[in-house]
Amino acid sequence: MESPMDADTALALLDWQIDLGATEAIADAPVNRFELDPRPAKPTSSPSPQHAVDRGADPSAAARAARPQPVSAPGPDPVQAAREAARAAGDLDGLRAALLAYPHCDLKKGARNLVFADGAPDARVMIIGEAPGREEDARGLPFVGREGQLLDRMFAAIGMGRTEGAPLYITNVIPWRPPQSRDPKPEEIAMMLPFMQRHVELVAPDVVVLMGNISCQAGLGRRGIARLRGGWTTAYGRDALPMFPPAYLLSNPHAKRDAWQDLLALQARLATGNTP
């Protein structure tokens, strides 16, 4: 039988273990952890506030732990909020005000102006572009600068314009300029789509012209303007004609022949009332 260890010997052994780097106490007998039950231990229940008081703990902290924690409610649905705001707009001024008051689109935080529309609200043709660029953002009007000048020349060739000839009405799917004029994100298009639908309902044109991939994505649910252009379809409940946007024509002059064919098809549609 071993004699009991005196205090000085025990303290010396403890100092020796600490010097070796021991960080926790060890048992008298080795433990084979491979033989332990791998199932996790059942969680212990939280102490009641009264039990915490009995143990001398902070009763207010125990009461907070025992109190049911509130569950945060999900935030508002931006698309549903857009539907409700757009539906409530009784005219174009009301729609413009609804867009200005809409709080869920972060694009407005970095834009200088809301780019709502230009032209005549009673026009038979409504041009729907993609999103404002730098000059559009600065002036608060769609299709200005080089792109706007080309657009004006294109439609002047078939007797249409913003102020002269048969009237045009021009707007964009996205009314605020995205940072660095990047493509709008799908969620940004989705939250602006109810406003666009209401915009078309209020103007009630005979034809909408979808200029570019973003416009086709919003109005048709498809992209690929090179395949879609020139083919009559339906968007927002109206006859629709996809076309190359002026920005594409400026960098791809060979596509102007296709754009001219599309303009002639639009002119024929307005003259006869029938799509080819």
Side-chain angles (χ1 to χ4, degrees):
M1 181 175 176
E2 295 182 2
S3 60
M5 185 181 301
D6 60 73
D8 291 337
T9 302
L11 182 60
L13 287 173
L14 177 61
D15 291 337
W16 175 70
Q17 291 173 358
I18 293 174
D19 290 340
L20 291 177
T23 58
E24 59 182 289
I26 60 176
D28 291 335
V31 177
N32 186 351
R33 299 188 181 276
F34 292 102
E35 296 178 353
L36 297 178
D37 189 348
R39 292 174 297 178
K42 294 182 179 180
T44 58
S45 58
S46 299
S48 66
Q50 183 59 45
H51 183 56
V53 172
D54 294 341
R55 292 188 305 158
D58 181 3
S60 61
R64 287 194 299 271
R67 187 183 306 131
Q69 297 299 313
V71 179
S72 58
D77 180 357
V79 176
Q80 181 59 33
R83 291 193 190 104
E84 294 172 0
R87 192 182 305 120
D91 54 26
L92 291 174
D93 288 338
L95 186 65
R96 180 187 180 95
L99 276 166
L100 285 169
Y102 183 72
H104 304 294
C105 186
D106 290 339
L107 292 178
K108 67 190 299 183
K109 298 178 182 178
R112 296 177 60 183
N113 287 298
L114 171 76
V115 180
F116 185 68
D118 194 16
D122 59 347
R124 296 181 64 192
V125 175
M126 183 175 183
I127 298 174
I128 302 177
E130 299 181 321
R134 178 179 298 148
E135 294 190 58
E136 287 81 7
D137 180 40
R139 296 177 54 180
L141 293 171
F143 286 101
V144 296
R146 291 182 63 212
E147 296 178 16
Q149 294 169 7
L150 178 55
L151 180 79
D152 292 342
R153 291 198 301 271
M154 288 167 58
F155 282 88
I158 59 170
M160 307 188 75
R162 307 184 200 213
T163 58
E164 298 180 358
L168 290 171
Y169 187 80
I170 308 171
T171 187
N172 284 313
V173 171
I174 304 295
W176 293 286
R177 181 196 178 198
Q180 284 73 52
S181 297
R182 62 160 171 78
D183 281 352
K185 299 177 181 178
E187 59 268 26
E188 294 165 349
I189 297 173
M191 68 178 70
M192 290 295 104
L193 191 54
F195 293 107
M196 191 72 261
Q197 178 68 55
R198 185 61 177 151
H199 208 154
V200 175
E201 292 172 357
L202 292 171
V203 175
D206 292 339
V207 174
V208 293
V209 175
L210 306 175
M211 286 206 145
N213 275 320
I214 302 302
S215 301
C216 290
Q217 180 178 345
L220 305 176
R222 292 178 289 164
R223 298 179 65 133
I225 189 62
R227 298 188 305 273
L228 294 171
R229 60 135 296 268
W232 286 97
T233 183
T234 301
Y236 308 106
R238 302 282 166 172
D239 289 338
L241 181 65
M243 290 184 61
F244 287 127
Y248 181 84
L249 298 176
L250 287 171
S251 57
N252 299 273
H254 64 275
K256 290 182 179 180
R257 176 179 297 181
D258 293 330
W260 176 239
Q261 293 176 354
D262 296 342
L263 289 169
L264 293 178
L266 174 62
Q267 185 181 46
R269 164 66 178 84
L270 296 173
T272 64
N274 297 315
T275 56

